[in-house]
Amino acid sequence: MKKIAIFALAILLVGNVVFASGSQETAKAPKALKVMLSEEPSSEDALLNTLKEWASETGNTLDVMVIPYEDQLTKFPLMARNKDLPDLIATTRLARLYPDEFADLSKNIDISIFEPMAVEIIVDSYATKKIANILPQQFTITNVFYNKDAFDRVGLSAPTVDDPWSFEELAANAKLLQEKGGVKYGMAMDSSRARYDNLMYANGGSMVEKRGESFAVTINSPQNIATLEEFVRWNNSFMPKAIWAGGTTDNPADYFKNGDVGIYFSGTWNYNSFYTQIKNINWGVMPSPVGSAGPSAILGGSGLAVPVNAKNKDLAVDFLKWFYTKENFQNYLNRDKGLSSLVGVTYSPADKQVAEDYKILQSEVAKVTKAFSVDESSLWRNYYDNEYRDAMRQAVNGDISPAKALNDFAALLSKKSSWPLKY
Amino acid sequence: MKTHHAKRHVVAFWLFIAPCLILFSVFFLLPLILSVGFSFTNYDGWKTMDFIGLSNYGELIKDIKFYQALGRTFGYTLFSLPFKVIVPLLIALLLCSKRVAIKSLGRTMVYIPSLLSSLVVGITINWMFSAEYGLVNYIIQSSGGTPLEWALNPRLATFVISFASNWASTGFYMVIFIGGINNIPADLYEAASIDGSSGLQTFFHITIPMLAPTTFLVTLLSTVNLLKEYALVQGITQGGPGLNTTFIIQFIFDKGFNQMQYGYASAISLLVMIIFALIAYFQFKLSNGGEQK
């Protein structure tokens, strides 16, 4: 009996040691967080460095995969179908296109910690369904950069927040810069509809208008046609036409970095890379110009989403809880030098010039128009985003008139969406 | 009653063709069947897939952009095809000539671009032909000329793609031609020489006719590859300026993967496949498959 008792005790002790250490190992076992990004991150990439910091703090590892923005539409459905999904995705549109495939993160993170505007723009599903299948990460806004050296050469002062340029002043100054400012192009603009659409909104135009619970197509309104006609003239006069005509893969940001552009319409996401990379010219940020109906800026940004069928979904949520603490988000923002999407957290640059620029960037947020919000809520982009781009390209290249480009596109959008045409 | 030997022979036959049959079925037959099925639906690549009969085909025959893209594709193919055949043939002749030294090095140098991915070819060509910072425009400007608008002039943009395509494929077709040239019996040339045939006469009356099957193969492969040009276009012009270099494969890709009209894209693909097959058939008939009549 004594032998049995000793044997049982020994078994118990051994068992305790084995199972206790086993459970400890389970609790501490590092896991790999599979993260999907839309472009190859640089060494200064704010999100990647924040992820690395989390991994180092928690002992977990990162498995970063890059699927370019253009390929995500084809790759993500295949990944979802094969249940071979990343745990965390930094995306601008996947959660909007495939809302059911992403977990409702409002159950894990309090949505009230985010700036309401960031939620409205990035978390499409929250206003209508109170579901947050994506959380704001990088909150961006369109803005205008300028080449200080070129401005100095022609004796031009940059506009101020209180006294912005009109479109007429912008065009005249861009011409002046091209003629006498030592730059090849007076002005350049990313080949993105969001940049062009600012001109449309500032001139009182819109893509659609609200009609009860539905919409009507207004993209071919007279003021929109006039705006596109003016934009074509700008391209023929002082812009690198090939960018908008679509015959090149060049990025106008490179033209600006090389000092070949006087005024460059882009967005806040470029600020950090310009700050670290541009050494050969002096540059700055200026408020965006004002059209006949007022100013316009377009908010956007990417968010972080967790696929419902991700293998390490809980780990991704753990990261998000860590990321959205004030301290960690502040560190991220300091790296990103962007706008904050978290209430009570702001970027406070030590560099005086950066602080001045940041004030101008922040002032752009108030310029977001109601028309833009209505257009966004229609989700028209889900229908014919590329057709719109093609229409613009053909108009800028002179293959078709601006009126034909917009009339044809309006007809297509109307047919696909079943929204009536207003014009 | 089959003998044991005959049965073994049949089993061996199936074992030999099985790898090819499986690959052909998985990568060609199955997608083809799926594509036929999708073309009768409004499949969006995700969850919507309703049978809509011949609606996609009805829409397709009225789609002016489809005809424009197809027309551009034929124009590009007709423009590029002569270079695809003649340039490798001449290089192959040169690199088979007894008068040329370091033939192996020459062949290797010409062949290297064939090993590059379309992406690398695109980057290299952009480096050369970029309107802003390209090497060619730099040379033109340095020589006092006016830089060319490679990205804005539709003809120049088409030329750049054609140049890139030729540069990347010349080595491959050169190797095929070298094989053909080496298979021409030497005694034919000896006889021609004894008969006093000049170099040009020998080329046109012996080399060209004897290379007919090879030339047919190169022509057929080049035609199909030109009609299917995609990656280079994406890497160099992205279909622009305007839509002037948007060929039929870009058009299909855009409908399917960007606009998520998989059903419609499948209908276009099927029609285009039939058109391409007909082109190949007529090429075969016209040249008698490269055989002497």
Side-chain angles (χ1 to χ4, degrees):
Chain A
M1 187 67 190
K2 193 180 172 185
K3 278 182 184 171
I4 291 171
I6 289 168
F7 181 70
L9 191 64
I11 292 285
L12 199 65
L13 282 171
V14 170
N16 255 343
V17 170
V18 169
F19 289 112
S21 64
S23 63
Q24 268 175 357
E25 263 176 28
T26 308
K28 285 183 178 175
K31 287 182 182 173
L33 182 71
K34 200 170 175 181
V35 184
M36 184 172 118
L37 304 177
S38 60
E39 61 183 12
E40 198 61 51
S42 68
S43 57
E44 286 117 24
D45 185 86
L47 179 63
L48 183 66
N49 285 321
T50 305
L51 280 160
K52 282 179 180 170
E53 190 183 330
W54 167 80
S56 144
E57 249 182 52
T58 58
N60 292 303
T61 56
L62 293 175
D63 175 7
V64 177
M65 59 192 293
V66 177
I67 296 189
Y69 178 79
E70 299 80 22
D71 294 341
Q72 287 187 352
L73 284 187
T74 51
K75 298 276 167 60
F76 181 79
L78 291 174
M79 289 167 136
R81 235 177 262 138
N82 298 328
K83 299 215 174 354
D84 178 21
L85 286 153
D87 306 313
L88 185 71
I89 301 180
T91 178
T92 54
R93 57 177 174 173
L94 288 179
R96 174 166 50 83
L97 292 169
Y98 308 106
D100 299 340
E101 293 303 308
F102 292 95
D104 177 9
L105 298 167
S106 66
K107 292 171 184 165
N108 309 98
I109 309 277
D110 178 11
I111 298 300
S112 68
I113 66 171
F114 297 104
E115 291 284 355
M117 186 70 92
V119 175
E120 188 186 325
I121 299 296
I122 299 170
V123 194
D124 290 320
S125 55
Y126 197 71
T128 50
K129 298 176 187 165
K130 295 289 168 208
I131 289 172
N133 51 21
I134 186 167
L135 297 176
Q137 172 228 326
Q138 195 185 41
F139 191 31
T140 57
I141 192 158
T142 51
N143 79 280
V144 188
F145 298 93
Y146 72 99
N147 182 329
K148 272 185 186 170
D149 297 341
F151 272 51
D152 288 347
R153 276 182 219 119
V154 295
L156 198 61
S157 301
T160 61
V161 173
D162 300 324
D163 187 18
W165 284 346
S166 64
F167 282 167
E168 290 74 23
E169 285 174 301
L170 172 78
N173 289 328
K175 247 182 183 171
L176 179 69
L177 286 165
Q178 184 163 304
E179 286 163 6
K180 298 177 180 168
V183 288
K184 191 169 181 184
Y185 300 108
M187 191 176 115
M189 194 182 278
D190 291 336
S191 175
S192 158
R193 54 153 206 89
R195 242 61 81 233
Y196 167 78
D197 284 353
N198 272 325
L199 310 182
M200 173 177 80
Y201 294 129
N203 281 336
S206 67
M207 190 68 69
V208 295
E209 70 175 26
K210 190 98 178 146
R211 280 204 184 160
E213 290 304 302
S214 186
F215 300 90
V217 176
T218 56
I219 183 63
N220 56 338
S221 66
Q223 66 263 46
N224 282 358
I225 291 172
T227 301
L228 185 53
E229 284 169 346
E230 184 66 10
F231 186 62
V232 172
R233 280 194 287 274
W234 287 4
N235 268 278
N236 288 328
S237 177
F238 49 77
M239 290 177 69
K241 188 176 169 182
I243 298 292
W244 272 85
T248 178
T249 52
D250 283 3
N251 184 350
D254 295 331
Y255 297 0
F256 183 74
K257 286 179 196 173
N258 288 339
D260 289 333
V261 167
I263 301 163
Y264 174 43
F265 282 70
S266 188
T268 51
W269 56 90
N270 266 329
Y271 191 89
N272 195 22
S273 66
F274 284 3
Y275 184 78
T276 52
Q277 291 172 17
I278 298 181
K279 306 288 178 202
N280 58 333
I281 60 163
N282 291 301
W283 58 277
V285 170
M286 63 185 235
S288 54
V290 180
S292 58
S296 168
I298 289 183
L299 276 169
S302 62
L304 296 170
V306 179
V308 276
N309 293 317
K311 196 177 153 197
N312 286 325
K313 195 167 59 175
D314 294 340
L315 191 64
V317 170
D318 284 349
F319 165 74
L320 293 174
K321 284 178 180 169
W322 177 92
F323 180 58
Y324 289 115
T325 58
K326 285 198 171 179
E327 186 193 345
N328 292 326
F329 197 81
Q330 182 73 64
N331 290 338
Y332 161 77
L333 206 58
N334 292 344
R335 289 183 182 117
D336 187 55
K337 297 183 178 64
L339 303 176
S340 173
S341 55
L342 219 58
V343 175
V345 178
T346 50
Y347 172 51
S348 312
D351 184 323
K352 269 187 187 172
Q353 186 54 55
V354 178
E356 287 301 311
D357 290 344
Y358 196 73
K359 272 184 203 164
I360 297 172
L361 296 178
Q362 199 71 48
S363 74
E364 293 291 306
V365 178
K367 297 179 181 174
V368 177
T369 61
K370 181 73 187 156
F372 167 67
S373 300
V374 172
D375 283 353
E376 281 299 284
S377 67
S378 74
L379 298 178
W380 72 269
R381 279 186 282 156
N382 287 4
Y383 297 106
Y384 268 133
D385 205 357
N386 276 27
E387 291 283 345
Y388 183 43
R389 179 209 61 194
D390 288 349
M392 309 280 283
R393 280 163 63 154
Q394 288 179 285
V396 170
N397 198 47
D399 297 338
I400 54 176
S401 70
K404 179 169 172 50
L406 293 183
N407 283 330
D408 288 356
F409 175 68
L412 273 174
L413 181 59
S414 171
K415 188 181 167 198
K416 180 87 176 180
S417 61
S418 305
W419 299 329
L421 287 165
K422 183 175 178 183
Y423 298 97
Chain B
M1 182 92 185
K2 280 182 179 171
T3 62
H4 180 66
H5 178 76
K7 276 182 186 170
R8 282 185 64 187
H9 193 76
V10 169
V11 170
F13 166 77
W14 284 109
L15 281 176
F16 273 116
I17 69 159
C20 189
L21 187 66
I22 291 166
L23 289 174
F24 184 74
S25 303
V26 170
F27 293 109
F28 182 79
L29 281 183
L30 190 62
L32 181 66
I33 293 164
L34 284 174
S35 193
V36 173
F38 289 157
S39 73
F40 299 110
T41 70
N42 61 352
Y43 183 44
D44 66 351
W46 191 233
K47 289 175 180 172
T48 306
M49 199 200 292
D50 308 310
F51 180 75
I52 55 166
L54 292 169
S55 296
N56 285 329
Y57 292 96
E59 195 179 331
L60 177 58
I61 56 170
K62 289 184 283 180
D63 191 341
I64 187 81
K65 285 187 176 172
F66 163 71
Y67 295 110
Q68 287 171 342
L70 200 60
R72 279 191 290 267
T73 312
F74 289 148
Y76 167 73
T77 304
L78 286 173
F79 171 73
S80 304
L81 190 59
F83 299 103
K84 284 260 182 186
V85 180
I86 294 167
V87 174
L89 171 63
L90 294 179
I91 293 175
L93 282 168
L94 187 73
L95 294 175
C96 286
S97 168
K98 287 172 185 166
R99 294 177 196 166
V100 174
I102 51 170
K103 279 190 228 135
S104 297
L105 180 67
R107 289 174 186 183
T108 309
M109 297 298 283
V110 176
Y111 190 72
I112 281 174
S114 310
L115 302 172
L116 301 177
S117 78
S118 298
L119 188 69
V120 178
V121 173
I123 291 168
T124 312
I125 292 298
N126 275 331
W127 175 73
M128 286 172 68
F129 290 99
S130 164
E132 295 302 322
Y133 308 119
L135 178 71
V136 177
N137 268 356
Y138 175 76
I139 293 170
I140 292 173
Q141 267 182 306
S142 304
S143 319
T146 309
L148 294 170
E149 292 185 318
W150 302 108
L152 279 176
N153 183 321
R155 286 184 182 159
L156 286 179
T158 308
F159 165 78
V160 172
I161 299 169
S162 178
F163 178 84
S165 178
N166 276 290
W167 178 67
S169 64
T170 292
F172 176 72
Y173 296 127
M174 174 201 72
V175 169
I176 297 177
F177 273 122
I178 287 174
I181 292 167
N182 288 338
N183 278 334
I184 300 174
D187 48 6
L188 284 178
Y189 289 110
E190 281 170 23
S193 175
I194 291 164
D195 290 345
S197 169
S198 71
L200 269 182
Q201 283 173 322
T202 306
F203 174 70
F204 283 112
H205 295 292
I206 294 180
T207 309
I208 293 289
M210 293 302 287
L211 279 178
T214 312
T215 309
F216 168 71
L217 177 69
V218 170
T219 307
L220 188 67
L221 288 175
S222 302
T223 306
V224 173
N225 286 334
L226 285 167
L227 290 169
K228 292 193 303 181
E229 200 79 82
Y230 173 72
L232 278 178
V233 183
Q234 283 302 102
I236 297 169
T237 64
Q238 296 188 332
L243 299 178
N244 289 294
T245 58
T246 300
F247 302 140
I248 196 66
I249 304 297
Q250 272 80 29
F251 183 72
I252 294 170
F253 188 92
D254 191 44
K255 290 287 174 200
F257 298 117
N258 291 330
Q259 295 177 24
M260 293 190 263
Q261 295 177 278
Y262 282 71
Y264 188 52
S266 297
I268 308 172
S269 302
L270 277 178
L271 190 61
V272 166
M273 191 188 77
I274 292 167
I275 294 169
F276 287 5
L278 284 174
I279 291 169
Y281 174 78
F282 284 119
Q283 275 188 324
F284 201 88
K285 279 286 165 194
L286 280 173
S287 64
N288 199 30
E291 297 295 329
Q292 301 281 352
K293 288 182 184 171

